[in-house]
Amino acid sequence: MNLNELGAYKHKVASVFANDPDIIDVLLGPVDEDADTDEMLLGNDPDSCGHIFEYEYVDDTNETTDTYLCMETVVAKVPTTTAYRVYLYIFVYCHKKIMQSYKREGTVGTRVDILAADVDRLLNGSKDFGIGKLNLVSNDVYKPNNKYYGRCICYEAVDFNRRNSR
């Protein structure tokens, strides 16, 4: 992996999230079958500011009670020249007023608990993000401001260190 690939890496993760029916339901609620959920989730719809961001998004002036799923990557070089260790941080958070308002049959917990479990179901152990499996490193409390609460989940992937083709 080269640093110029990190944008594509995050875009791939965002796409996985935007295409999962459970994540769509947590973030948007019930939607019409013909609705373009990609536009609503990714902020390309004039009626939606977006819910999935390929960076740590926090709007301190936001007056809505929304749920967000954000991500960031950090690369740490491993002791050899052949591989990189990539840390994928997932920020799952929502307005405190709606923390208890989401229910799904067969699940227990707050909106953030359920969304974090959905994220983990899709990412933990996946072989689609580097050499070997994507592994859970940590799961910590995330408080972007006094109205929102959530989790910061960190995964680790290892990928080849390829030389630039220039």
Side-chain angles (χ1 to χ4, degrees):
M1 172 174 284
N2 292 316
L3 292 180
N4 65 355
E5 297 174 86
L6 291 179
Y9 190 92
K10 291 190 292 185
H11 190 71
K12 182 178 180 180
V13 173
S15 179
V16 167
F17 294 154
N19 287 295
D20 184 76
D22 289 333
I23 288 180
I24 292 169
D25 188 56
V26 175
L27 294 176
L28 298 177
V31 293
D32 294 332
E33 282 186 31
D34 57 340
D36 189 343
T37 56
D38 277 356
E39 285 192 4
M40 296 165 72
L41 289 170
L42 302 174
N44 301 330
D45 185 318
D47 296 328
S48 175
C49 66
H51 298 273
I52 297 175
F53 294 89
E54 295 176 17
Y55 55 93
E56 185 184 0
Y57 171 82
V58 180
D59 185 356
D60 288 331
T61 62
N62 191 344
E63 297 300 322
T64 62
T65 55
D66 285 325
T67 304
Y68 297 98
L69 183 52
C70 308
M71 66 205 69
E72 189 53 80
T73 52
V74 175
V75 176
K77 194 168 188 226
V78 294
T80 70
T81 59
T82 58
Y84 273 106
R85 185 174 293 138
V86 180
Y87 292 99
L88 173 63
Y89 291 90
I90 306 294
F91 304 94
V92 175
Y93 66 99
C94 73
H95 198 284
K96 290 178 183 178
K97 287 184 179 180
I98 62 169
M99 185 71 76
Q100 299 289 342
S101 67
Y102 183 78
K103 304 292 181 212
R104 184 189 306 150
E105 188 173 328
T107 63
V108 178
T110 65
R111 180 181 295 265
V112 167
D113 293 334
I114 295 168
L115 185 55
D118 290 340
V119 165
D120 194 58
R121 171 180 48 81
L122 293 170
L123 296 182
N124 198 4
S126 174
K127 294 182 179 179
D128 296 330
F129 300 98
I131 305 168
K133 295 179 181 178
L134 195 63
N135 293 311
L136 177 66
V137 173
S138 66
N139 176 21
D140 206 352
V141 171
Y142 178 66
K143 300 177 192 176
N145 62 35
N146 64 354
K147 292 182 181 181
Y148 283 84
Y149 182 87
R151 296 211 187 140
C152 175
I153 309 165
C154 180
Y155 295 93
E156 177 185 61
V158 176
D159 207 346
F160 287 113
N161 179 15
R162 295 184 294 278
R163 297 214 185 279
N164 286 332
S165 57
R166 294 197 276 164

